Amino acid sequence: MPSKGVRCFTYIAVDGVEVEYTVPKGNVKRGDQHQFLHDHLEVESSNLPHFKFTGNFEFIVRQDGRELTKQWVAINSMTGKLEDGSMVNMEQTPSIFANDLVISYGFYDAGPGLAELPKQHQCYVTVTKNYENWMRDIIPQGSDKSNRPFHKMVLPSAHDIGMNNMSSSLSLLKNAGTGIIKEVLGRSLPHALTIINKVGDGAINRIAPDIIRALAITQKDTLDTILKIGARYFEFRPAKCHRQMQKVSPLDDTWYFQHGAIPGMPYRVLLDHITRFLVDHKDEIIVVHNRWDGVPGDCPRPNDDELRDALNDILRDKDLKAGNQDDMMRKTIHDLRESNNRLIILKDCGQASNYDDAANATLTGDSMVEKLSSMCEDPPRGHPITLLQCQATATNIRDVIIASVLDSDVSTSPILATKPVCDHKILPLLKGEVGRKLMGKEGVVVILNDFFDGATADVAVGLCRERLG
């Protein structure tokens, strides 16, 4: 009988929590802690009433028997399509805070499996502590650990934080003509021109938002939420909008996060929210690393004075000071707090990374596992920062892009398709012996991920606690 599968990925790190997944005449309950769990359920026609082909998949999170949240989708067992529900698109799946814990979750709306994309829907759920004060809690000021150098820290990080919504991109596209869209998307996203050339000029303006949504949106929570989940390191690529697009753009001519030539969060918004968070959380320390990887020359970059002016303007009314790379590498955690240098700003700082164009262009994560394993044989040394990236870059696979966009809705992102699969292979490695070998003796270690979640934060905080002794 026709059916549509759902793969369920779970990570729990809070006492008394249980996650239950259900389909018609089937369910799975999970309560094991600090384990990366994987289950499979089917919405089967044979389990539905006669002449009915749609059944609900849902998950319920409970703590000590009390329901904290229930999310669901109605799945057609014949077509596999979603017909209704609370997880039909990414915008419906923000992280939830309850009982001083955070529930992060996502749902990938799978198609028929073209280009080796998953043909089963995927749902992931992580339930972890609210980590908005994790540095205070595991490194109390005045404790022995607070006298450790800050370069011994392990920091959770949201990859491409500037691409957490479509607001700037949609504004930029509003008045842009076909020619400009072709050039900007062609320069910004791998193989985007392949997609553009498969449709007529009349359709380009219509599908441009789908292209960006599927291939460039890497986060789905607000910055404030991501900070409360635990992120403390952010790479940012501040530059002005592509000069051709800015001519017809309603956007202010200021610095935005640039994904190629696609604008995201304004730089001042990043600084404003981070500094407000630090003012309210006196023991937390955040690193912002300004880089310009992949930003085209048609997107003007700020000079040092302009970056300094933007920062000083934000700090003007706040009891907070900016630190630099020297502070990050030489000062203790205690001293950074004492001097209030709790916002460390870096620029093009040297780093090592496990990222590899070929290895990360994967739908399964297996090549990334091989890359990490080989990296352990000769761990990087002497770098101020070591980036350990969990996210795949399936957007570098030509056929995947075509299938994702031309058969798209807002949840067919190949980035979302690889999220739970890669997390359940990469995060256990980083949590275990592989991660320990890659820590090194000095230099900040960063655990970086798309669609930042509690499992990523929990692994990084655990490694930080261990590395500080």
Side-chain angles (χ1 to χ4, degrees):
M1 296 291 286
S3 68
K4 186 70 172 181
V6 185
R7 298 177 70 188
C8 307
F9 300 85
T10 314
Y11 182 85
I12 300 170
V14 182
D15 290 337
V17 167
E18 172 190 83
V19 181
E20 181 179 11
Y21 303 94
T22 68
V23 294
K25 297 186 179 180
N27 76 310
V28 173
K29 291 183 180 180
R30 288 297 199 173
D32 301 16
Q33 288 209 23
H34 302 286
Q35 301 295 317
F36 290 89
L37 307 170
H38 172 221
D39 296 285
H40 170 237
L41 293 169
E42 289 280 336
V43 177
E44 297 191 43
S45 300
S46 60
N47 291 332
L48 298 170
H50 288 304
F51 307 112
K52 185 177 180 182
F53 296 98
T54 299
N56 285 359
F57 163 83
E58 67 182 31
F59 75 81
I60 303 171
V61 178
R62 302 183 183 91
Q63 186 175 33
D64 299 324
R66 186 168 75 86
E67 183 178 307
L68 301 181
T69 189
K70 177 193 289 186
Q71 304 295 329
W72 65 281
V73 285
I75 301 173
N76 188 306
S77 59
M78 292 282 288
T79 66
K81 293 185 178 298
L82 307 185
E83 296 188 350
D84 196 6
S86 62
M87 301 186 289
V88 172
N89 60 62
M90 283 195 292
E91 294 172 358
Q92 291 181 305
T93 59
S95 294
I96 296 168
F97 293 87
N99 288 5
D100 203 32
L101 57 79
V102 57
I103 303 164
S104 296
Y105 65 101
F107 191 90
Y108 171 69
D109 178 5
L114 300 175
E116 298 185 12
L117 282 162
K119 60 182 178 181
Q120 296 175 324
H121 298 312
Q122 296 185 148
C123 181
Y124 70 88
V125 182
T126 72
V127 188
T128 52
K129 296 176 182 177
N130 179 337
Y131 274 135
E132 64 179 303
N133 285 298
W134 70 264
M135 290 185 178
R136 177 200 68 188
D137 294 340
I138 76 164
I139 318 165
Q141 185 73 335
S143 67
D144 287 343
K145 284 186 178 179
S146 72
N147 292 318
R148 306 284 197 275
F150 184 81
H151 69 67
K152 299 287 284 185
M153 295 290 284
V154 180
L155 304 180
S157 174
H159 175 238
D160 282 359
I161 182 60
M163 302 308 297
N164 71 330
N165 66 66
M166 293 281 294
S167 177
S168 297
S169 301
L170 291 177
S171 295
L172 194 70
L173 293 172
K174 188 175 182 180
N175 301 322
T178 299
I180 295 176
I181 292 176
K182 278 185 175 181
E183 178 171 348
V184 170
L185 292 186
R187 288 190 179 193
S188 300
L189 297 169
H191 309 299
L193 283 177
T194 304
I195 302 167
I196 291 170
N197 291 335
K198 285 182 174 289
V199 300
D201 284 355
I204 289 174
N205 293 62
R206 178 178 59 80
I207 71 167
D210 285 339
I211 295 175
I212 293 172
R213 185 179 285 110
L215 308 183
I217 297 300
T218 58
Q219 302 296 331
K220 59 185 181 65
D221 276 313
T222 66
L223 175 55
D224 292 340
T225 293
I226 287 169
L227 286 164
K228 290 175 71 175
I229 297 172
R232 295 294 180 268
Y233 175 97
F234 301 97
E235 285 196 346
F236 207 84
R237 300 193 283 274
K240 291 188 174 181
C241 290
H242 190 284
R243 294 296 87 185
Q244 280 186 272
M245 296 197 83
Q246 186 60 38
K247 291 177 183 178
V248 295
S249 169
L251 292 173
D252 291 338
D253 194 20
T254 186
W255 321 110
Y256 297 87
F257 182 92
Q258 293 292 338
H259 188 290
I262 298 171
M265 182 186 297
Y267 186 49
R268 285 177 179 269
V269 169
L270 175 87
L271 294 177
D272 181 54
H273 283 255
I274 283 177
T275 53
R276 289 176 186 273
F277 179 86
L278 288 172
V279 167
D280 292 338
H281 300 77
K282 301 296 185 182
D283 288 319
E284 305 304 295
I285 302 168
I286 291 174
V287 178
V288 173
H289 188 182
N290 289 320
R291 301 175 60 86
W292 288 269
D293 311 66
V295 177
D298 289 321
C299 297
R301 304 177 186 184
N303 59 37
D304 289 347
D305 289 338
E306 289 167 325
L307 287 171
R308 191 179 305 110
D309 288 346
L311 177 62
N312 289 339
D313 188 46
I314 294 294
L315 291 178
R316 198 179 313 280
D317 61 345
K318 297 179 179 70
D319 183 22
L320 189 67
K321 300 174 185 176
N324 55 29
Q325 182 176 333
D326 193 58
D327 294 319
M328 181 180 79
M329 296 302 294
R330 295 180 182 275
K331 289 187 176 181
T332 66
I333 301 161
H334 177 281
D335 289 346
L336 288 173
R337 288 168 169 167
E338 192 72 19
S339 62
N340 231 2
N341 291 118
R342 294 185 295 113
L343 173 60
I344 296 173
I345 303 289
L346 309 176
K347 179 183 175 185
D348 285 329
C349 182
Q351 60 185 33
S353 174
N354 64 311
Y355 178 82
D356 178 87
D357 280 340
N360 285 65
T362 176
L363 291 169
T364 66
D366 292 341
S367 52
M368 296 171 61
V369 169
E370 293 175 9
K371 174 70 177 179
L372 274 172
S373 299
S374 64
M375 193 174 172
C376 282
E377 297 174 6
D378 184 21
R381 297 177 179 84
H383 300 277
I385 294 170
T386 298
L387 283 179
L388 299 177
Q389 305 194 41
C390 304
Q391 76 284 351
T393 315
T395 49
N396 281 340
I397 305 173
R398 174 183 172 276
D399 290 345
V400 164
I401 290 182
I402 295 171
S404 297
V405 174
L406 296 185
D407 181 34
S408 72
D409 61 31
V410 291
S411 290
T412 57
S413 157
I415 303 172
L416 188 58
T418 58
K419 159 75 179 172
V421 175
C422 291
D423 280 5
H424 277 240
K425 292 179 180 179
I426 303 302
L427 285 173
L429 285 180
L430 297 183
K431 187 178 179 180
E433 195 59 33
V434 168
R436 295 185 186 95
K437 288 180 179 178
L438 294 173
M439 291 298 106
K441 293 184 178 180
E442 64 177 42
V444 173
V445 175
V446 175
I447 310 294
L448 195 71
N449 211 344
D450 285 335
F451 304 117
F452 187 72
D453 64 286
T456 305
D458 193 65
V459 168
V461 172
L463 286 170
C464 188
R465 191 195 310 266
E466 187 175 321
R467 195 179 188 214
L468 290 174

